[in-house]
Coordinates of all heavy atoms in Angstrom, one line a residue:
M1 N 60.7 214.1 -37.3 CA 59.7 213.5 -36.5 C 59.8 212.0 -36.7 O 60.0 211.5 -37.8 CB 58.3 213.9 -37.0 CG 57.2 213.3 -36.2 SD 55.6 214.0 -36.5 CE 55.0 212.9 -37.7
A2 N 59.7 211.2 -35.6 CA 59.8 209.8 -35.7 C 58.5 209.2 -36.3 O 57.4 209.9 -36.3 CB 59.9 209.3 -34.2
E3 N 58.6 208.1 -36.8 CA 57.5 207.4 -37.5 C 57.1 206.1 -36.8 O 57.9 205.5 -36.1 CB 57.8 207.0 -38.9 CG 57.9 208.2 -39.9 CD 58.1 207.7 -41.3 OE1 57.9 206.5 -41.6 OE2 58.5 208.5 -42.1
A4 N 55.9 205.7 -37.0 CA 55.4 204.4 -36.6 C 54.9 203.7 -37.9 O 54.4 204.3 -38.8 CB 54.3 204.5 -35.6
R5 N 55.2 202.4 -37.9 CA 54.8 201.6 -39.1 C 53.9 200.5 -38.6 O 54.3 199.7 -37.7 CB 56.0 201.1 -39.8 CG 56.8 202.2 -40.6 CD 58.1 201.7 -41.1 NE 59.0 201.1 -40.1 CZ 59.7 201.7 -39.2 NH1 59.5 203.1 -39.0 NH2 60.5 201.1 -38.3
F6 N 52.8 200.3 -39.3 CA 51.9 199.2 -39.1 C 51.9 198.4 -40.3 O 51.7 198.8 -41.4 CB 50.4 199.8 -38.8 CG 49.4 198.7 -38.9 CD1 49.1 197.9 -37.9 CD2 48.6 198.6 -40.1 CE1 48.2 196.9 -38.0 CE2 47.7 197.6 -40.2 CZ 47.4 196.8 -39.1
T7 N 52.1 197.1 -40.1 CA 52.1 196.1 -41.2 C 51.1 195.0 -40.9 O 51.2 194.4 -39.8 CB 53.5 195.5 -41.4 OG1 54.4 196.6 -41.6 CG2 53.5 194.7 -42.7
D8 N 50.2 194.8 -41.8 CA 49.3 193.6 -41.7 C 50.0 192.5 -42.4 O 50.1 192.5 -43.7 CB 47.9 194.0 -42.3 CG 46.9 192.8 -42.2 OD1 47.3 191.7 -41.9 OD2 45.7 193.1 -42.4
R9 N 50.4 191.5 -41.7 CA 51.2 190.4 -42.4 C 50.2 189.2 -42.8 O 50.7 188.2 -43.2 CB 52.2 189.9 -41.4 CG 53.3 190.9 -41.1 CD 54.4 190.4 -40.4 NE 55.6 191.2 -40.5 CZ 56.7 191.0 -40.0 NH1 56.9 189.9 -39.3 NH2 57.7 191.8 -40.1
G10 N 49.0 189.5 -42.7 CA 48.0 188.4 -43.1 C 47.7 187.4 -42.0 O 48.5 187.2 -41.1
G11 N 46.6 186.8 -42.1 CA 46.2 185.8 -41.2 C 46.0 186.3 -39.7 O 46.2 185.5 -38.8
G12 N 45.8 187.6 -39.6 CA 45.6 188.1 -38.2 C 46.9 188.5 -37.5 O 46.9 188.8 -36.4
N13 N 48.0 188.4 -38.3 CA 49.3 188.8 -37.7 C 49.6 190.3 -38.1 O 49.7 190.6 -39.3 CB 50.4 187.9 -38.2 CG 50.2 186.5 -37.7 OD1 50.3 186.3 -36.4 ND2 50.0 185.5 -38.5
W14 N 49.8 191.1 -37.0 CA 50.1 192.5 -37.2 C 51.4 192.8 -36.6 O 51.8 192.2 -35.6 CB 49.0 193.4 -36.6 CG 47.7 193.3 -37.2 CD1 47.2 192.6 -38.3 CD2 46.5 194.0 -36.7 NE1 45.9 192.7 -38.5 CE2 45.4 193.6 -37.5 CE3 46.3 194.9 -35.7 CZ2 44.1 194.1 -37.4 CZ3 45.0 195.4 -35.5 CH2 43.9 195.0 -36.3
M15 N 52.2 193.7 -37.2 CA 53.5 194.2 -36.7 C 53.5 195.7 -36.5 O 53.0 196.4 -37.4 CB 54.6 193.8 -37.7 CG 55.9 194.3 -37.4 SD 56.6 193.6 -35.9 CE 57.4 192.1 -36.6
L16 N 54.0 196.1 -35.4 CA 54.2 197.5 -35.1 C 55.6 197.8 -35.0 O 56.4 197.0 -34.3 CB 53.5 198.0 -33.8 CG 52.0 198.3 -33.9 CD1 51.4 198.6 -32.5 CD2 51.7 199.4 -34.9
E17 N 56.1 198.9 -35.6 CA 57.5 199.3 -35.5 C 57.6 200.8 -35.3 O 56.7 201.5 -35.7 CB 58.2 198.9 -36.8 CG 58.2 197.4 -37.0 CD 58.8 197.0 -38.3 OE1 58.2 197.3 -39.4 OE2 59.9 196.5 -38.4
G18 N 58.7 201.2 -34.8 CA 58.9 202.7 -34.6 C 58.4 203.2 -33.3 O 58.4 202.5 -32.3
E19 N 58.0 204.5 -33.4 CA 57.6 205.2 -32.2 C 56.1 205.3 -32.1 O 55.5 205.8 -33.0 CB 58.2 206.6 -32.2 CG 57.9 207.4 -31.0 CD 58.6 208.8 -31.1 OE1 59.8 208.8 -31.3 OE2 57.9 209.8 -30.9
L20 N 55.5 204.9 -31.0 CA 54.1 205.1 -30.7 C 53.9 206.3 -29.8 O 54.2 206.2 -28.6 CB 53.5 203.8 -30.1 CG 53.6 202.6 -30.9 CD1 53.0 201.4 -30.1 CD2 52.8 202.8 -32.2
S21 N 53.5 207.4 -30.4 CA 53.4 208.6 -29.6 C 52.1 209.4 -30.0 O 51.4 209.0 -31.0 CB 54.6 209.5 -29.8 OG 54.6 210.0 -31.2
F22 N 51.8 210.5 -29.4 CA 50.7 211.3 -29.8 C 50.8 211.8 -31.2 O 49.7 211.9 -31.9 CB 50.5 212.5 -28.8 CG 50.0 212.1 -27.5 CD1 50.9 211.9 -26.4 CD2 48.7 211.9 -27.2 CE1 50.5 211.5 -25.2 CE2 48.2 211.5 -26.0 CZ 49.1 211.3 -24.9
A23 N 52.0 211.9 -31.7 CA 52.2 212.3 -33.1 C 51.9 211.2 -34.1 O 51.5 211.5 -35.3 CB 53.6 212.9 -33.3
T24 N 52.2 210.0 -33.7 CA 52.2 208.9 -34.7 C 51.0 207.9 -34.6 O 50.6 207.3 -35.6 CB 53.5 208.0 -34.6 OG1 53.5 207.4 -33.3 CG2 54.7 208.9 -34.8
V25 N 50.4 207.8 -33.4 CA 49.3 206.9 -33.2 C 48.1 207.1 -34.1 O 47.5 206.2 -34.6 CB 48.9 206.8 -31.7 CG1 47.6 206.1 -31.5 CG2 50.0 206.0 -31.0
P26 N 47.7 208.4 -34.3 CA 46.5 208.6 -35.2 C 46.7 208.0 -36.6 O 45.7 207.4 -37.1 CB 46.3 210.1 -35.2 CG 46.9 210.6 -33.9 CD 48.1 209.6 -33.7
T27 N 47.9 208.1 -37.1 CA 48.1 207.5 -38.5 C 48.1 206.0 -38.4 O 47.5 205.3 -39.3 CB 49.5 207.9 -39.0 OG1 49.5 209.4 -39.1 CG2 49.8 207.4 -40.3
V28 N 48.6 205.4 -37.4 CA 48.6 203.9 -37.2 C 47.2 203.5 -37.1 O 46.7 202.5 -37.7 CB 49.4 203.5 -36.0 CG1 49.2 202.0 -35.7 CG2 50.9 203.7 -36.2
L29 N 46.4 204.2 -36.3 CA 45.0 203.8 -36.1 C 44.2 203.8 -37.4 O 43.4 202.9 -37.8 CB 44.3 204.7 -35.1 CG 42.9 204.3 -34.6 CD1 42.9 202.8 -34.1 CD2 42.4 205.2 -33.5
R30 N 44.4 204.9 -38.2 CA 43.8 205.0 -39.5 C 44.2 203.8 -40.5 O 43.4 203.3 -41.2 CB 44.1 206.3 -40.2 CG 43.3 207.4 -39.8 CD 43.4 208.6 -40.7 NE 44.8 209.1 -40.8 CZ 45.4 210.0 -39.9 NH1 44.7 210.4 -38.9 NH2 46.6 210.4 -40.1
H31 N 45.4 203.4 -40.5 CA 45.9 202.4 -41.4 C 45.7 201.0 -40.8 O 45.9 200.0 -41.6 CB 47.4 202.6 -41.6 CG 47.7 203.7 -42.5 ND1 48.0 205.0 -42.0 CD2 47.6 203.9 -43.9 CE1 48.1 205.8 -43.0 NE2 47.9 205.2 -44.1
S32 N 45.2 200.8 -39.6 CA 44.9 199.5 -39.1 C 43.4 199.1 -39.2 O 43.0 198.3 -38.4 CB 45.4 199.5 -37.6 OG 44.6 200.3 -36.8
G33 N 42.7 199.7 -40.1 CA 41.3 199.5 -40.2 C 40.9 198.2 -40.8 O 39.8 198.2 -41.4
A34 N 41.6 197.2 -40.6 CA 41.3 195.9 -41.1 C 39.9 195.4 -40.5 O 39.7 195.7 -39.3 CB 42.4 194.8 -40.8
D35 N 39.2 194.7 -41.2 CA 37.9 194.2 -40.7 C 38.2 193.0 -39.8 O 38.4 191.9 -40.3 CB 37.0 193.8 -41.9 CG 35.6 193.4 -41.5 OD1 35.3 193.4 -40.2 OD2 34.8 193.1 -42.3
M36 N 38.1 193.2 -38.6 CA 38.4 192.2 -37.6 C 37.4 191.0 -37.6 O 37.8 189.9 -37.2 CB 38.5 192.7 -36.2 CG 39.6 193.7 -35.9 SD 39.6 194.2 -34.2 CE 41.0 195.2 -34.2
R37 N 36.2 191.3 -38.1 CA 35.2 190.2 -38.1 C 35.6 189.0 -39.0 O 35.1 187.9 -38.8 CB 33.9 190.8 -38.5 CG 33.3 191.7 -37.5 CD 32.1 192.4 -38.0 NE 32.6 193.3 -39.1 CZ 31.9 194.2 -39.6 NH1 30.7 194.5 -39.2 NH2 32.4 195.0 -40.6
N38 N 36.5 189.2 -39.9 CA 36.9 188.1 -40.8 C 38.1 187.3 -40.3 O 38.6 186.5 -41.1 CB 37.1 188.7 -42.2 CG 35.9 189.3 -42.8 OD1 34.8 188.8 -42.6 ND2 36.1 190.3 -43.6
L39 N 38.5 187.6 -39.1 CA 39.7 186.9 -38.6 C 39.3 186.0 -37.4 O 38.4 186.3 -36.7 CB 40.7 188.0 -38.1 CG 41.2 189.0 -39.2 CD1 42.0 190.1 -38.5 CD2 42.0 188.3 -40.2
A40 N 40.1 184.9 -37.3 CA 39.9 184.0 -36.2 C 40.5 184.5 -34.9 O 40.1 184.3 -33.8 CB 40.5 182.6 -36.5
G41 N 41.5 185.4 -35.1 CA 42.2 186.0 -33.9 C 43.3 186.9 -34.5 O 43.6 186.9 -35.7
I42 N 43.8 187.8 -33.6 CA 44.8 188.8 -34.0 C 45.9 188.7 -33.0 O 45.7 188.6 -31.8 CB 44.2 190.2 -34.0 CG1 43.0 190.3 -35.0 CG2 45.3 191.2 -34.3 CD1 42.2 191.6 -34.8
R43 N 47.1 188.7 -33.6 CA 48.3 188.7 -32.8 C 49.1 190.0 -33.2 O 49.5 190.1 -34.4 CB 49.1 187.5 -33.1 CG 50.4 187.4 -32.3 CD 51.1 186.0 -32.6 NE 52.4 185.9 -31.9 CZ 53.6 186.3 -32.3 NH1 53.7 186.9 -33.5 NH2 54.6 186.1 -31.6
V44 N 49.3 190.9 -32.3 CA 50.1 192.1 -32.5 C 51.5 192.0 -32.0 O 51.6 191.9 -30.7 CB 49.3 193.3 -32.0 CG1 50.1 194.6 -32.3 CG2 47.9 193.4 -32.4
D45 N 52.5 192.1 -32.8 CA 53.9 192.0 -32.4 C 54.4 193.4 -32.3 O 54.5 194.1 -33.3 CB 54.7 191.1 -33.4 CG 56.1 190.8 -32.9 OD1 56.6 191.5 -32.0 OD2 56.6 189.8 -33.4
L46 N 54.9 193.8 -31.1 CA 55.4 195.1 -30.9 C 56.9 195.1 -30.7 O 57.5 196.0 -30.2 CB 54.8 195.7 -29.6 CG 53.3 196.1 -29.8 CD1 52.4 195.0 -29.3 CD2 53.1 197.4 -29.0
K47 N 57.6 194.0 -31.2 CA 59.0 193.9 -31.1 C 59.8 195.1 -31.7 O 60.8 195.5 -31.1 CB 59.5 192.6 -31.8 CG 60.9 192.3 -31.6 CD 61.3 191.0 -32.2 CE 62.8 190.7 -32.0 NZ 63.1 189.4 -32.6
G48 N 59.3 195.7 -32.7 CA 60.0 196.8 -33.4 C 59.7 198.1 -32.9 O 60.1 199.1 -33.4
V49 N 58.9 198.2 -31.8 CA 58.6 199.5 -31.2 C 59.8 200.1 -30.4 O 60.3 199.4 -29.5 CB 57.3 199.5 -30.3 CG1 57.1 200.8 -29.6 CG2 56.1 199.1 -31.1
T50 N 60.2 201.2 -30.8 CA 61.4 201.8 -30.2 C 61.1 202.7 -29.0 O 62.0 202.9 -28.2 CB 62.2 202.6 -31.3 OG1 61.4 203.6 -31.8 CG2 62.8 201.7 -32.3
R51 N 59.9 203.3 -29.0 CA 59.5 204.2 -28.0 C 58.0 204.3 -27.9 O 57.4 204.2 -29.0 CB 60.1 205.6 -28.2 CG 59.8 206.6 -27.2 CD 60.3 208.1 -27.6 NE 59.7 209.1 -26.8 CZ 58.5 209.5 -26.7 NH1 57.5 208.9 -27.4 NH2 58.1 210.5 -25.9
A52 N 57.5 204.4 -26.7 CA 56.0 204.5 -26.6 C 55.6 205.4 -25.4 O 56.3 205.4 -24.4 CB 55.4 203.1 -26.4
D53 N 54.5 206.1 -25.6 CA 54.0 206.9 -24.5 C 52.5 206.4 -24.2 O 52.1 205.4 -24.8 CB 54.1 208.4 -24.7 CG 53.4 208.9 -25.9 OD1 52.4 208.2 -26.4 OD2 53.8 210.0 -26.4
S54 N 51.8 207.2 -23.5 CA 50.4 206.8 -23.2 C 49.5 206.7 -24.4 O 48.5 205.9 -24.4 CB 49.8 207.7 -22.1 OG 49.8 209.0 -22.6
A55 N 49.9 207.4 -25.5 CA 49.1 207.2 -26.7 C 49.3 205.8 -27.3 O 48.3 205.3 -27.9 CB 49.6 208.3 -27.8
G56 N 50.4 205.2 -27.2 CA 50.6 203.9 -27.6 C 49.7 202.9 -26.8 O 49.2 202.0 -27.4
L57 N 49.6 203.1 -25.5 CA 48.8 202.3 -24.7 C 47.3 202.5 -25.1 O 46.5 201.5 -25.2 CB 48.9 202.7 -23.2 CG 48.1 201.9 -22.2 CD1 48.5 200.4 -22.3 CD2 48.4 202.4 -20.8
A58 N 46.9 203.7 -25.4 CA 45.5 204.0 -25.8 C 45.2 203.3 -27.1 O 44.1 202.8 -27.3 CB 45.3 205.5 -26.0
L59 N 46.2 203.1 -28.0 CA 46.0 202.4 -29.3 C 45.7 200.9 -29.0 O 44.8 200.4 -29.5 CB 47.3 202.5 -30.1 CG 47.3 201.6 -31.4 CD1 46.3 202.2 -32.4 CD2 48.7 201.6 -32.0
L60 N 46.4 200.3 -28.0 CA 46.2 198.9 -27.7 C 44.8 198.8 -27.1 O 44.1 197.8 -27.4 CB 47.2 198.4 -26.7 CG 48.7 198.5 -27.2 CD1 49.6 197.7 -26.2 CD2 48.9 197.9 -28.6
V61 N 44.4 199.7 -26.2 CA 43.0 199.7 -25.6 C 42.0 199.8 -26.7 O 41.0 199.1 -26.7 CB 42.9 200.8 -24.6 CG1 41.4 200.9 -24.1 CG2 43.8 200.5 -23.4
E62 N 42.2 200.7 -27.7 CA 41.2 200.8 -28.8 C 41.1 199.5 -29.6 O 40.0 199.1 -29.9 CB 41.6 202.0 -29.7 CG 40.7 202.2 -30.8 CD 39.2 202.4 -30.5 OE1 38.9 202.9 -29.3 OE2 38.3 202.1 -31.3
W63 N 42.2 198.9 -29.9 CA 42.2 197.6 -30.6 C 41.5 196.6 -29.8 O 40.8 195.7 -30.4 CB 43.6 197.2 -31.0 CG 44.2 197.9 -32.2 CD1 43.5 198.7 -33.1 CD2 45.5 197.9 -32.6 NE1 44.3 199.2 -34.0 CE2 45.6 198.7 -33.8 CE3 46.7 197.4 -32.2 CZ2 46.8 199.0 -34.5 CZ3 47.8 197.6 -32.8 CH2 47.9 198.4 -34.0
L64 N 41.7 196.6 -28.5 CA 41.0 195.6 -27.6 C 39.5 195.8 -27.7 O 38.7 194.8 -27.9 CB 41.5 195.7 -26.2 CG 40.8 194.8 -25.2 CD1 41.1 193.3 -25.5 CD2 41.3 195.2 -23.8
R65 N 39.1 197.0 -27.6 CA 37.6 197.3 -27.8 C 37.1 196.9 -29.1 O 36.0 196.2 -29.2 CB 37.4 198.8 -27.6 CG 37.4 199.3 -26.2 CD 36.9 200.8 -26.2 NE 37.5 201.4 -25.1 CZ 38.0 202.6 -25.0 NH1 37.9 203.4 -26.1 NH2 38.5 203.1 -24.0
E66 N 37.8 197.2 -30.2 CA 37.3 196.8 -31.5 C 37.3 195.3 -31.6 O 36.3 194.7 -32.2 CB 38.2 197.4 -32.6 CG 38.1 198.9 -32.7 CD 39.0 199.4 -33.8 OE1 39.5 198.6 -34.7 OE2 39.3 200.6 -33.8
S67 N 38.3 194.6 -31.1 CA 38.3 193.1 -31.2 C 37.1 192.5 -30.4 O 36.5 191.5 -30.8 CB 39.6 192.6 -30.8 OG 39.8 192.6 -29.4
E68 N 36.8 193.1 -29.2 CA 35.7 192.6 -28.4 C 34.4 192.8 -29.1 O 33.6 191.9 -29.1 CB 35.7 193.3 -27.0 CG 36.8 192.8 -26.1 CD 36.9 193.5 -24.8 OE1 36.2 194.5 -24.6 OE2 37.6 193.0 -23.9
R69 N 34.2 193.9 -29.8 CA 33.0 194.2 -30.5 C 32.9 193.2 -31.7 O 31.7 192.7 -32.0 CB 33.0 195.6 -31.1 CG 32.5 196.6 -30.1 CD 32.2 198.0 -30.8 NE 33.4 198.6 -31.3 CZ 34.1 199.5 -30.7 NH1 33.8 199.9 -29.5 NH2 35.2 200.0 -31.3
A70 N 34.0 192.8 -32.3 CA 34.0 191.9 -33.4 C 33.9 190.4 -32.9 O 33.8 189.5 -33.8 CB 35.2 192.1 -34.3
G71 N 34.1 190.2 -31.6 CA 34.2 188.8 -31.1 C 35.4 188.1 -31.5 O 35.4 186.8 -31.7
V72 N 36.5 188.8 -31.7 CA 37.8 188.2 -32.1 C 38.8 188.4 -31.0 O 39.0 189.5 -30.6 CB 38.2 188.9 -33.4 CG1 39.6 188.4 -33.8 CG2 37.2 188.7 -34.5
P73 N 39.5 187.3 -30.6 CA 40.5 187.5 -29.6 C 41.7 188.2 -30.1 O 42.1 188.0 -31.3 CB 40.8 186.1 -29.1 CG 40.4 185.2 -30.3 CD 39.3 185.9 -31.0
I74 N 42.3 189.0 -29.3 CA 43.5 189.8 -29.7 C 44.6 189.6 -28.6 O 44.3 189.5 -27.4 CB 43.2 191.3 -29.9 CG1 44.4 192.0 -30.6 CG2 42.8 191.9 -28.6 CD1 44.1 193.4 -31.1
S75 N 45.8 189.4 -29.1 CA 46.9 189.3 -28.1 C 48.1 190.2 -28.5 O 48.2 190.5 -29.7 CB 47.4 187.8 -28.0 OG 47.9 187.4 -29.3
F76 N 48.8 190.7 -27.6 CA 49.9 191.6 -27.8 C 51.2 190.9 -27.3 O 51.2 190.4 -26.2 CB 49.7 192.9 -27.0 CG 48.4 193.6 -27.4 CD1 47.3 193.5 -26.6 CD2 48.3 194.3 -28.5 CE1 46.1 194.1 -26.9 CE2 47.1 195.0 -28.9 CZ 46.0 194.9 -28.1
V77 N 52.2 190.8 -28.1 CA 53.4 190.1 -27.8 C 54.6 191.1 -28.0 O 54.5 192.0 -28.7 CB 53.6 188.8 -28.6 CG1 52.5 187.8 -28.3 CG2 53.7 189.1 -30.1
N78 N 55.7 190.7 -27.3 CA 56.9 191.5 -27.4 C 56.7 193.0 -27.0 O 57.1 193.9 -27.7 CB 57.6 191.4 -28.7 CG 58.0 190.0 -29.1 OD1 58.6 189.3 -28.2 ND2 57.7 189.5 -30.2
I79 N 56.0 193.1 -25.9 CA 55.7 194.5 -25.4 C 57.0 195.2 -24.9 O 57.7 194.6 -24.0 CB 54.7 194.4 -24.2 CG1 53.5 193.5 -24.6 CG2 54.2 195.8 -23.8 CD1 52.7 194.0 -25.7
P80 N 57.2 196.4 -25.4 CA 58.4 197.1 -24.9 C 58.3 197.4 -23.4 O 57.1 197.6 -22.9 CB 58.4 198.4 -25.7 CG 57.6 198.1 -26.9 CD 56.6 197.1 -26.4
V81 N 59.3 197.3 -22.6 CA 59.3 197.6 -21.2 C 58.7 198.9 -20.9 O 57.9 199.0 -19.9 CB 60.8 197.5 -20.6 CG1 60.8 197.9 -19.2 CG2 61.3 196.1 -20.8
Q82 N 59.0 199.9 -21.6 CA 58.4 201.3 -21.4 C 56.9 201.2 -21.5 O 56.2 201.8 -20.6 CB 58.9 202.2 -22.5 CG 58.5 203.6 -22.3 CD 59.1 204.5 -23.4 OE1 59.4 204.1 -24.5 NE2 59.4 205.8 -23.0
L83 N 56.3 200.5 -22.4 CA 54.9 200.5 -22.6 C 54.2 199.6 -21.5 O 53.2 199.9 -21.0 CB 54.5 199.9 -24.0 CG 53.1 200.0 -24.4 CD1 52.5 201.4 -24.3 CD2 52.9 199.5 -25.8
L84 N 54.9 198.5 -21.1 CA 54.5 197.7 -20.1 C 54.4 198.4 -18.7 O 53.5 198.3 -18.0 CB 55.4 196.4 -20.0 CG 54.9 195.3 -19.1 CD1 53.6 194.8 -19.6 CD2 55.9 194.1 -19.2
S85 N 55.4 199.3 -18.5 CA 55.4 200.1 -17.3 C 54.3 201.0 -17.2 O 53.6 201.2 -16.2 CB 56.7 200.8 -17.2 OG 57.8 200.0 -17.1
I86 N 53.9 201.7 -18.3 CA 52.8 202.6 -18.4 C 51.5 201.8 -18.1 O 50.6 202.3 -17.3 CB 52.7 203.3 -19.7 CG1 54.0 204.2 -19.9 CG2 51.5 204.2 -19.8 CD1 54.1 204.7 -21.3
A87 N 51.4 200.7 -18.7 CA 50.2 199.8 -18.5 C 50.0 199.5 -17.0 O 48.9 199.5 -16.5 CB 50.2 198.6 -19.4
R88 N 51.1 199.1 -16.4 CA 51.1 198.7 -15.0 C 50.6 199.9 -14.1 O 49.8 199.8 -13.2 CB 52.4 198.3 -14.5 CG 52.8 196.9 -14.9 CD 54.1 196.4 -14.3 NE 54.4 195.1 -14.8 CZ 55.6 194.7 -15.3 NH1 56.6 195.6 -15.3 NH2 55.8 193.5 -15.8
V89 N 51.2 201.1 -14.3 CA 50.8 202.3 -13.6 C 49.3 202.6 -13.7 O 48.7 203.0 -12.8 CB 51.7 203.5 -14.0 CG1 51.2 204.8 -13.5 CG2 53.1 203.3 -13.5
C90 N 48.8 202.4 -14.9 CA 47.4 202.7 -15.2 C 46.5 201.6 -14.8 O 45.3 201.7 -15.0 CB 47.3 203.0 -16.7 SG 48.1 204.5 -17.3
G91 N 47.0 200.4 -14.4 CA 46.2 199.3 -14.0 C 45.6 198.6 -15.2 O 44.5 197.9 -15.0
L92 N 46.2 198.6 -16.3 CA 45.7 198.0 -17.5 C 46.4 196.7 -17.9 O 46.1 196.1 -18.9 CB 45.7 199.0 -18.7 CG 44.8 200.2 -18.5 CD1 45.0 201.2 -19.7 CD2 43.4 199.7 -18.5
E93 N 47.4 196.3 -17.2 CA 48.3 195.2 -17.6 C 47.4 193.9 -17.7 O 47.5 193.2 -18.7 CB 49.4 195.0 -16.6 CG 50.3 193.8 -16.9 CD 51.4 193.7 -15.9 OE1 51.2 194.1 -14.7 OE2 52.4 193.1 -16.3
D94 N 46.6 193.7 -16.7 CA 45.7 192.4 -16.8 C 44.6 192.5 -17.8 O 44.3 191.5 -18.5 CB 45.1 192.2 -15.4 CG 46.2 191.7 -14.4 OD1 47.3 191.3 -14.8 OD2 46.0 191.9 -13.2
I95 N 44.0 193.7 -18.0 CA 42.9 193.9 -18.9 C 43.4 193.6 -20.3 O 42.8 193.0 -21.1 CB 42.4 195.3 -18.8 CG1 41.7 195.5 -17.5 CG2 41.4 195.6 -20.0 CD1 41.3 196.9 -17.2
L96 N 44.7 194.0 -20.6 CA 45.2 193.9 -22.0 C 46.0 192.5 -22.1 O 46.5 192.2 -23.2 CB 46.1 195.0 -22.3 CG 45.5 196.4 -22.5 CD1 46.5 197.5 -22.6 CD2 44.6 196.4 -23.7
S97 N 46.1 191.8 -21.0 CA 46.9 190.6 -21.0 C 48.3 190.8 -21.6 O 48.7 190.1 -22.5 CB 46.2 189.5 -21.8 OG 44.9 189.2 -21.3
L98 N 48.9 191.8 -21.1 CA 50.2 192.2 -21.5 C 51.3 191.4 -20.7 O 51.2 191.2 -19.5 CB 50.5 193.7 -21.3 CG 49.6 194.6 -22.1 CD1 50.0 196.0 -21.8 CD2 49.7 194.4 -23.6
S99 N 52.3 190.9 -21.5 CA 53.4 190.3 -20.8 C 54.6 190.5 -21.8 O 54.5 190.7 -22.9 CB 53.2 188.8 -20.5 OG 53.0 188.1 -21.8
R100 N 55.8 190.4 -21.2 CA 57.0 190.6 -21.9 C 57.3 189.3 -22.5 O 57.5 188.6 -23.2 CB 58.1 191.1 -21.0 CG 59.3 191.4 -21.7 CD 59.6 192.9 -21.8 NE 60.9 193.1 -22.3 CZ 61.1 193.3 -23.6 NH1 60.1 193.4 -24.4 NH2 62.3 193.4 -24.1

């Protein structure tokens, strides 16, 4: 089974690597439970994501909700083409401010 790795690099910088799928996203979500209220902003780098399905997109939407509740801006960078395509089809590209 493929894995996903979540790394909190400090200062609101997060890194995702590996596969974001229905099998891996629940673990990433559990390990990303950082208290967003103590951060000025969050930057999530997805450069290391090798594959993503709609569960990966759902993870980003959940983080967006959590950041809005905490009043902390969140940005997603280095979005894989596959994930960007799913977001476009679902009409979420602008909501998540996704860009390659």
Side-chain angles (χ1 to χ4, degrees):
M1 179 171 94
E3 286 187 14
R5 289 169 305 287
F6 165 79
T7 307
D8 183 345
R9 294 189 162 181
N13 292 299
W14 295 358
M15 173 68 85
L16 277 177
E17 299 173 288
E19 183 177 306
L20 297 179
S21 67
F22 287 97
T24 64
V25 164
T27 301
V28 171
L29 190 56
R30 276 193 303 277
H31 288 95
S32 66
D35 187 358
M36 292 183 177
R37 291 171 293 197
N38 294 329
L39 300 171
I42 297 168
R43 181 180 181 268
V44 182
D45 190 341
L46 289 93
K47 184 177 183 178
V49 172
T50 56
R51 182 185 166 292
D53 62 22
S54 59
L57 182 60
L59 174 67
L60 302 188
V61 170
E62 179 58 26
W63 282 346
L64 178 64
R65 280 191 207 138
E66 289 180 22
S67 73
E68 286 177 347
R69 278 194 292 267
V72 175
I74 190 168
S75 62
F76 303 100
V77 298
N78 297 314
I79 310 299
V81 173
Q82 184 180 31
L83 191 55
L84 193 54
S85 296
I86 295 168
R88 282 185 185 132
V89 167
C90 295
L92 294 173
E93 182 180 23
D94 291 338
I95 293 170
L96 292 170
S97 300
L98 298 179
S99 62
R100 183 106 175 95

